[in-house]
Amino acid sequence: MAPTPPTPHGAHSPSRVPTTAVRWIVVLLLFLSVLHFSSGNQSKSGVAKVNFREKEKQVLDQILGRYDARIRPSGENGTDGPAIVRVNLFVRSIATISDIKMEYSVQLTFREQWLDERLKFNDFGGKIKYLTLTDAARVWMPDLFFSNEKEGHFHNIIMPNVYIRIFPYGSVLYSIRISLTLSCPMNLKLYPLDRQVCSLRMASYGWTTNDLVFLWKDGDPVQVVKNLHLPRFTLEKFLTDYCNSKTNTGEYSCLKVDLLFKREFSYYLIQIYIPCCMLVIVSWVSFWLDQSAVPARVSLGVTTLLTMATQTSGINASLPPVSYTKAIDVWTGVCLTFVFGALLEFALVNYASRSDMHRENMKKQRAACEALDHPDPSDLMEDGNTTFPMVRQCEIHMQQSRPNCCKTWLSKFPTRSKRIDVISRITFPLVFALFNLIYWSTYLFREETEDS
């Protein structure tokens, strides 16, 4: 094999020419890719620079520039019928329910929603879901008011808790947080075994049903916070209804919510019923004290009577002065009567004790006189014609008389004062137990009847 001839000095190698060209081609491709990437970023940044918040301002200026808030919206489907406003509530808390003022305080989120076709706008392909306002004067608002309101205020911390949302198809949602004190007329005949119905009434003030109609929102118009705790009541249920009212100026649309509260009886059982029972039972202790222990029995009777009177006045101080008799009035009145009866019983015992002493003294004097006026009975036995018939009559009378268990038992207590105490020990508890049976049967039955 012949050797390869050497390359002349200064001539280039044929393999190096294509290598340099490849390098230049790679550099050119990298430059083009960088240029394309930068241009793509610029195009993307150009799309992102569109500020839809600025578009919202333009839309608001456009729709509100020609809008007149004094004119109510048209009816459904653009008709001349009444504007339909749908209402729903969220009860955040119920602070107090006052029996003496017959009112309750509630904090709620109040929402209204209606359709105003004048507020339709372009949503830019779904980019603008809704417009938000905080000034309710910019759009037409329903003239709703709470008809049974006593006091109320808005919440402005940190900012006013209110907003208005305008949706692309013209729907308007108004939401606000308010606190209200509302009147709640109560029927306290079964107090404290009662249930109370407190209403929340909302009505139109100036627009009649020809122009404005309030309706409850479909589905769940009233929601209540789950962890709702009340000190003396339990919210059993709530009902929504309509309460349109007719006056000389027309018929006005009205909505109402009836809140059914059940009074917690355990508090009153511990604070009223059990202490009253204890006071009545303590007043019976005087029946077991000796009738000669006058200071002890008087002090016990007077103390329990004054305590019972104080208990009764304290109960009435927390209730309004109504004209009818309440269940608690019957209970306290009967307990007070039992305590007062125990005090009167001692007065009767004291009188009977003095009468027994007087009768005993009279018997002693009569026995002494008879001993002086009559001879010895043994002398009379000698005269059989006189004494035998009398003895025979006594034997016949003794044979005809039948033993009586009550008389036999009472004969163990020779004095009338002692008998009164013994009878009171049995009579007072039995009568009080009978009263309890009648009281609880009557009022619990009436409570179940009202529920049904």
Side-chain angles (χ1 to χ4, degrees), residues 246-289:
K246 292 183 179 180
T247 64
N248 293 333
T249 57
E251 183 179 0
Y252 297 90
S253 183
C254 175
L255 303 176
K256 73 172 181 177
V257 185
D258 290 332
L259 304 172
L260 179 60
F261 295 103
K262 180 183 179 181
R263 198 181 298 272
E264 287 290 345
F265 180 70
S266 58
Y267 169 81
Y268 300 93
L269 179 66
I270 297 173
Q271 296 294 327
I272 296 176
Y273 284 92
I274 292 179
C276 289
C277 284
M278 294 173 65
L279 287 174
V280 172
I281 294 173
V282 167
S283 68
W284 300 342
V285 175
S286 63
F287 304 154
W288 300 87
L289 297 179

Side-chain angles (χ1 to χ4, degrees), residues 154-216:
F154 303 121
H155 294 266
N156 298 317
I157 299 174
I158 300 176
M159 293 293 293
N161 298 165
V162 58
Y163 68 78
I164 299 173
R165 290 177 180 174
I166 304 174
F167 295 88
Y169 51 91
S171 178
V172 181
L173 173 63
Y174 174 72
S175 178
I176 188 171
R177 187 166 72 99
I178 53 179
S179 291
L180 300 170
T181 299
L182 305 165
S183 64
C184 178
M186 299 182 182
N187 186 354
L188 300 174
K189 289 183 178 180
L190 298 180
Y191 177 91
L193 300 168
D194 57 335
R195 283 177 168 85
Q196 301 297 336
V197 178
C198 296
S199 299
L200 174 63
R201 295 175 176 265
M202 300 160 286
S204 173
Y205 189 81
W207 298 97
T208 63
T209 52
N210 296 327
D211 298 313
L212 179 62
V213 173
F214 290 109
L215 297 177
W216 286 113

Side-chain angles (χ1 to χ4, degrees), residues 100-148:
I100 190 168
K101 294 182 179 181
M102 291 196 177
E103 64 183 23
Y104 71 104
S105 299
V106 61
Q107 182 187 128
L108 52 88
T109 298
F110 174 74
R111 305 185 188 98
E112 295 175 306
Q113 193 164 9
W114 65 94
L115 182 64
D116 194 341
E117 295 182 353
R118 297 172 295 173
L119 297 175
K120 289 182 177 180
F121 63 89
N122 181 15
D123 61 351
F124 294 93
K127 297 295 183 181
I128 302 177
K129 295 182 179 180
Y130 52 80
L131 304 174
T132 303
L133 296 177
T134 56
D135 186 7
R138 301 292 300 274
V139 297
W140 176 86
M141 292 291 300
D143 61 343
L144 181 142
F145 77 104
F146 297 93
S147 58
N148 59 334

Side-chain angles (χ1 to χ4, degrees), residues 69-83:
R70 299 172 296 176
I71 308 301
R72 72 167 179 85
S74 59
E76 289 184 333
N77 301 322
T79 61
D80 195 28

Side-chain angles (χ1 to χ4, degrees), residues 270-338:
I270 297 173
Q271 296 294 327
I272 296 176
Y273 284 92
I274 292 179
C276 289
C277 284
M278 294 173 65
L279 287 174
V280 172
I281 294 173
V282 167
S283 68
W284 300 342
V285 175
S286 63
F287 304 154
W288 300 87
L289 297 179
D290 189 77
Q291 58 190 13
S292 61
V294 177
R297 298 188 67 163
V298 170
S299 61
L300 181 62
V302 172
T303 302
T304 52
L305 182 63
L306 292 177
T307 306
M308 192 67 218
T310 304
Q311 181 87 348
T312 303
S313 62
I315 296 170
N316 293 329
S318 61
L319 295 173
V322 294
S323 59
Y324 48 82
T325 302
K326 304 180 290 294
I328 196 66
D329 295 335
V330 175
W331 175 264
T332 55
V334 172
C335 290
L336 188 63
T337 302
F338 271 93

